[in-house]
Amino acid sequence: MQYADDNATPCQTAEDLQRTATSYNTVYERFGMQVNTDKIKALIQHPPGQILPNINTTINEHTLEEVDQFSYIGSILTSTPTCKKDVENRIRAAHSAYGRLSCRVFNNHALTMATKIMVFQAIVLSTLLYACETWTLYRSDIQSLERFRQYKLRQILKIPWESHTTNVAVLNQASVTSVEATIIHHRLRWAGHVQRMEPFRLPKIMLYGELADGTRPRGAPKLRYKNQLKRTLALTNIDPSSWEQTARDRATWRRAVHHGITAFEEKRKENEEAKRRRRRERQEQPRPPPTLPCELCPRLFHHRLGLSTHIRHKHPPRR
């Protein structure tokens, strides 16, 4: 798992980590290289409901610092199996990429709107969704990513908030798909690529690997990548039981992914419009008169929450 001069080494026990660190240090010294112990960090993923003690791994009599999160090749690795920190880091990086191009591209009146959208898709969106094919996302993470993209697209298209333009209209005006559809496209494309790999390749071993020991805790457990991949296949009308056979042929898999993404985006837009229409119908319906009176004043309320809030602020208890 070495990338250039960076190395990420997963181990199951503290003894394995110490043995591996010593072996790497010995091999590097044979080639005349020196390990920078100040940059090496040890990250522990604790079992659910347990806190493991410090492992105190040493290299050349230097104890490695133990951290809760660490940046490796642009991604944030954390002690908790979620991508929230990585998503937040990607949003900050995309903000920075957009700011560096603001004067020369996005605020440049000599460039057409199509050129600005192309630059945004090529640089800012690529920075935002770096390594998104390996993320295990929750709905709140997708909403954060979509919120950032909508904010930047409205700035580029000069759409003020007073116009009350919907998110679907903004995407149609920019001729782009939603963030969720883009992530699904990257995820399915990567899954097909891994499926066509040889069985001894590490990504394929990780995709099909399962823990031999241990049980999942009660309640709603953390979302797994396999669960999200199955859900993605269902959203794009791809049979989860036969997707492996389909992915073996690259051209067939690309057609299936393209048709699935198109159908998913159309259905998502229809659901957004239907939700907006139902909300408008509820607002247009006549509201029944209030029936809950306040015992301390003649005011009436529709719900108990409003009544309790009114009593707490307007008629606080005397001390």
Side-chain angles (χ1 to χ4, degrees):
M1 297 183 68
Q2 180 156 332
Y3 181 83
D5 59 344
D6 294 328
N7 194 330
T9 304
C11 298
Q12 296 185 2
T13 62
E15 293 76 12
D16 291 342
L17 180 58
Q18 181 62 65
R19 189 184 311 111
T20 304
T22 303
S23 301
Y24 275 118
N25 184 52
T26 303
V27 173
Y28 291 153
E29 288 179 348
R30 291 178 182 175
F31 286 90
M33 295 184 292
Q34 184 179 1
V35 176
N36 189 346
T37 54
D38 294 332
K39 291 185 177 180
I40 300 179
K41 310 296 180 183
L43 187 145
I44 305 177
Q45 286 191 331
H46 305 278
Q50 301 181 22
I51 300 297
L52 300 178
N54 295 336
I55 56 179
N56 295 327
T57 306
T58 59
I59 295 180
N60 294 333
E61 299 181 355
H62 182 276
T63 303
L64 303 183
E65 180 185 358
E66 298 181 11
V67 296
D68 295 330
Q69 65 181 37
F70 184 72
S71 177
Y72 178 69
I73 318 181
S75 298
I76 302 296
L77 307 179
T78 63
S79 56
T80 56
T82 61
C83 297
K84 187 175 183 60
K85 293 292 183 181
D86 204 6
V87 170
E88 294 175 354
N89 180 59
R90 289 290 96 204
I91 292 177
R92 287 193 296 268
H95 268 296
S96 178
Y98 184 91
R100 290 194 297 268
L101 295 172
S102 294
C103 295
R104 183 168 296 182
V105 178
F106 301 122
N107 295 333
N108 189 350
H109 299 286
L111 298 178
T112 63
M113 196 62 65
T115 302
K116 296 179 181 180
I117 296 297
M118 290 176 61
V119 173
F120 177 82
Q121 292 285 103
I123 299 179
V124 180
L125 189 65
S126 299
T127 304
L128 178 68
L129 301 182
Y130 173 78
C132 67
E133 58 270 13
T134 61
W135 287 347
T136 303
L137 298 174
Y138 289 86
R139 177 53 55 182
S140 59
D141 301 325
I142 297 177
Q143 290 175 352
S144 299
L145 296 170
E146 188 65 54
R147 192 180 303 115
F148 168 84
R149 189 183 192 181
Q150 283 287 331
Y151 177 67
K152 295 304 180 184
L153 285 177
R154 289 169 187 268
Q155 285 186 339
I156 296 174
L157 298 173
K158 300 294 189 294
I159 299 177
W161 66 269
E162 299 91 344
S163 62
H164 299 287
T165 307
T166 63
N167 294 341
V168 175
V170 172
L171 295 178
N172 291 336
Q173 185 174 345
S175 300
V176 296
T177 58
S178 63
V179 166
E180 187 174 5
T182 306
I183 294 175
I184 288 177
H185 181 242
H186 284 273
R187 185 182 299 144
L188 291 178
R189 187 175 60 180
W190 182 80
H193 180 66
V194 173
Q195 172 59 27
R196 291 188 294 271
M197 288 182 179
E198 298 295 333
F200 58 85
R201 295 284 300 275
L202 185 59
K204 194 166 187 177
I205 295 175
M206 295 297 296
L207 180 62
Y208 287 94
E210 294 183 0
L211 294 177
D213 301 323
T215 57
R216 306 188 80 182
R218 282 185 176 183
K222 297 294 184 181
L223 185 64
R224 298 180 299 181
Y225 186 82
K226 289 183 179 180
N227 303 123
Q228 190 171 68
L229 181 58
K230 292 179 181 178
R231 188 181 304 172
T232 301
L233 294 172
L235 289 174
T236 53
N237 301 325
I238 300 176
D239 188 5
S241 60
S242 60
W243 78 274
E244 297 171 341
Q245 289 76 14
T246 307
R248 288 183 183 138
D249 183 69
R250 185 176 183 181
T252 305
W253 179 248
R254 292 185 66 178
R255 285 195 299 269
V257 171
H258 175 72
H259 294 318
I261 294 297
T262 303
F264 167 80
E265 189 65 10
E266 292 178 355
K267 186 176 181 180
R268 190 194 65 82
K269 291 180 180 179
E270 293 177 358
N271 294 337
E272 289 290 334
E273 292 296 336
K275 183 179 178 181
R276 181 180 177 85
R277 185 168 55 253
R278 289 193 300 266
R279 184 169 60 248
R280 188 183 301 112
E281 291 175 355
R282 287 196 303 266
Q283 294 176 353
E284 293 176 354
Q285 291 179 356
R287 193 176 187 185
T291 57
L292 296 176
C294 177
E295 298 179 355
L296 303 177
C297 67
R299 188 171 178 180
L300 299 177
F301 296 89
H302 289 87
H303 302 285
R304 293 188 179 275
L305 179 60
L307 176 60
S308 60
T309 304
H310 167 75
I311 294 176
R312 184 170 62 252
H313 289 282
K314 299 299 182 181
H315 309 290
R318 297 180 180 179
R319 297 181 180 179

